[in-house]
Amino acid sequence: MASSLIFRASRRFLKPSSSSSVSLHLATFNPLSSAQQFATQNRNPTLNAPFNPPQLQNYNFEFRKTVGSLSNFHLVAHVSTRPSKEDRNQSGSVSNGGGGDATWVDLYLHKQVQPYARLARLDKPIGTWLLLWPCIWSITLAATPGHLPDFKMMTLFACGALLLRGAGCTINDLLDRDIDTMVERTKLRPVASGLLTPFQGLCFLGFQLLLGLGILLQLNNYSRVLGASSLFLVFSYPLMKRFTFWPQAYLGLTFNWGALLGWAAVKGSLDPSIVLPLYASGVFWTLVYDTIYAHQDKEDDLKVGVKSTALRFGDSTKEWITGFGIACLGGLALSGFNAEIGWPYYASLGVASGHLGWQIWTVDLSSRADCNRKFVSNKWFGAIIFGGILAGRLSS
């Protein structure tokens, strides 16, 4: 009799379901094992068909029914509509334009401003750090022995690095918009994806350059001329990948111009024995980190027909960048020696060499994720060198 009641109750209250994202749990507390077995075997997975799980993400439904006079018997239907991890990842990637996890640009900026912020790579500050560190090294080297560097000058250069890096990215995206659509990593950039028109990009470029000019005019006349001369490198760099396998070297000449400019902004002139080895070391450092970075796109670059040191070096990449790393450290040591800096600087070079060696020896050049991790870690290499220069200058 009890089994008959259970059968009718289950037929009445359990409806079919085929959704794989819904979990249904029936719990029975009747000591009759046959009733338990029946309830378990006859769960039908379409109980949840009328519901749309993505619209009911944070709710759980519990349904209890007491059958007849069997007060100790309960059917508990538990429907979980929380989205799967895969669903959350997919919805997140769509919300921020395919960039994976949401950044502060997605969370805090107005939707009309977000494409411009991404065009300037404000959501990816690593480029600003890599542009800023050679400036900071040079300013700190130019400080009076035993004194802190000029913090006002460092602040100006920080603002300038943010603006110039954004302007460089804007120029790059305008010139490469046809290529970017064919490369997996870049096809969702604002200009390539159509979020911004080339004209809007040009207007934004003019705005960034105007602000950059305001920063440059705060410096001495020698620095103004030296700083303005870097614009040729900034505008021509995006074209280099079309003509040479060494665009990373050209990027090094561009990104490390601050090693010359920082010293000139403090001293009003250049000391070649100090700033040229510093500038050269920055170029070799760029060859290390940007070659690692270029390995992310090597398959797409081959299809598109653009060039890079990653394609030039191929399986010999680690040998090449090891040489560049040694040259970088040698240039830093020579610059510090000519600047008569204190011993803590050389201790920092030991730490920095360990960091550079870790990057080179452990990077998996076939993994885009690992190449990007090693590339981003270079902000700490720059910080180590800065800490060494600061300590060495204060102790000299």
Side-chain angles (χ1 to χ4, degrees), residues 76-153:
V76 181
H78 178 87
V79 181
S80 174
T81 59
R82 188 175 301 278
S84 66
K85 182 178 181 181
E86 182 181 357
D87 293 335
R88 290 195 300 270
N89 290 340
Q90 289 176 352
S91 62
S93 65
V94 171
S95 66
N96 64 6
D101 294 336
T103 66
W104 70 272
V105 168
D106 304 291
L107 297 175
Y108 300 113
L109 295 186
H110 192 276
K111 287 188 179 296
Q112 292 182 338
V113 178
Q114 289 178 13
Y116 294 98
R118 293 196 187 95
L119 184 60
R121 308 290 195 276
L122 295 183
D123 56 334
K124 298 177 180 178
I126 180 59
T128 302
W129 282 115
L130 297 176
L131 183 63
L132 178 61
W133 281 128
C135 307
I136 299 299
W137 298 346
S138 187
I139 292 171
T140 309
L141 270 176
T144 304
H147 292 77
L148 292 170
D150 188 334
F151 284 104
K152 178 184 176 182
M153 192 66 67

Side-chain angles (χ1 to χ4, degrees), residues 350-371:
V351 177
S353 65
H355 184 277
L356 209 56
W358 165 76
Q359 285 187 61
I360 295 169
W361 294 330
T362 64
V363 64
D364 181 359
L365 296 174
S366 63
S367 168
R368 292 187 177 188
D370 194 47
C371 286

Side-chain angles (χ1 to χ4, degrees), residues 30-71:
N30 194 317
L32 297 175
S33 59
S34 61
Q36 280 186 334
Q37 193 173 26
F38 180 85
T40 302
Q41 292 177 350
N42 286 273
R43 288 184 297 183
N44 207 320
T46 58
L47 176 65
N48 203 40
F51 299 96
N52 185 1
Q55 297 174 350
L56 301 172
Q57 293 181 358
N58 297 316
Y59 300 93
N60 289 320
F61 296 93
E62 182 171 330
F63 177 76
R64 298 174 181 268
K65 177 68 179 177
T66 303
V67 181
S69 61
L70 299 177
S71 60

Side-chain angles (χ1 to χ4, degrees), residues 157-382:
F157 271 76
C159 295
L162 182 67
L163 291 169
L164 188 60
R165 191 268 180 130
C169 291
T170 303
I171 295 168
N172 182 82
D173 286 10
L174 288 171
L175 294 177
D176 284 354
R177 60 185 183 274
D178 295 331
I179 294 176
D180 284 346
T181 59
M182 297 182 281
V183 177
E184 182 66 27
R185 185 178 57 83
T186 61
K187 65 184 181 181
L188 293 179
R189 285 177 175 174
V191 176
S193 64
L195 284 175
L196 296 177
T197 65
F199 179 73
Q200 289 174 314
L202 280 173
C203 293
F204 184 55
L205 174 61
F207 174 70
Q208 292 174 97
L209 292 177
L210 184 62
L211 293 179
L213 177 62
I215 298 292
L216 191 62
L217 292 178
Q218 306 300 311
L219 308 180
N220 57 56
N221 290 332
Y222 188 94
S223 300
R224 291 173 187 173
V225 175
L226 187 62
S229 63
S230 69
L231 289 179
F232 172 78
L233 294 171
V234 173
F235 276 88
S236 57
Y237 160 69
L239 302 174
M240 291 300 109
K241 66 173 73 71
R242 294 166 170 82
F243 304 113
T244 177
F245 280 101
W246 294 85
Q248 281 68 31
Y250 202 85
L251 178 67
L253 296 174
T254 307
F255 249 49
N256 293 280
W257 199 257
L260 307 176
L261 189 58
W263 182 280
V266 176
K267 298 289 190 180
S269 62
L270 292 177
D271 185 339
S273 67
I274 296 174
V275 297
L276 290 183
L278 185 66
Y279 182 54
S281 67
V283 173
F284 286 120
W285 178 39
T286 303
L287 278 164
V288 174
Y289 66 68
D290 207 51
T291 297
I292 293 174
Y293 185 78
H295 271 272
Q296 296 180 94
D297 299 329
K298 55 191 174 185
E299 290 85 3
D300 290 322
D301 288 347
L302 279 172
K303 290 186 291 185
V304 174
V306 298
K307 302 173 176 67
S308 71
T309 49
L311 296 177
R312 171 65 179 82
F313 302 152
D315 293 337
S316 301
T317 291
K318 289 198 175 186
E319 288 79 3
W320 278 92
I321 60 178
T322 297
F324 296 145
I326 293 171
C328 168
L329 294 167
L332 288 169
L334 179 59
S335 180
F337 177 80
N338 291 336
E340 299 180 351
I341 200 167
W343 67 267
Y345 173 67
Y346 301 99
S348 76
L349 289 185
V351 177
S353 65
H355 184 277
L356 209 56
W358 165 76
Q359 285 187 61
I360 295 169
W361 294 330
T362 64
V363 64
D364 181 359
L365 296 174
S366 63
S367 168
R368 292 187 177 188
D370 194 47
C371 286
N372 188 65
R373 278 193 296 268
K374 297 302 190 296
F375 168 73
V376 171
S377 74
N378 278 277
K379 64 186 177 183
W380 301 116
F381 177 87

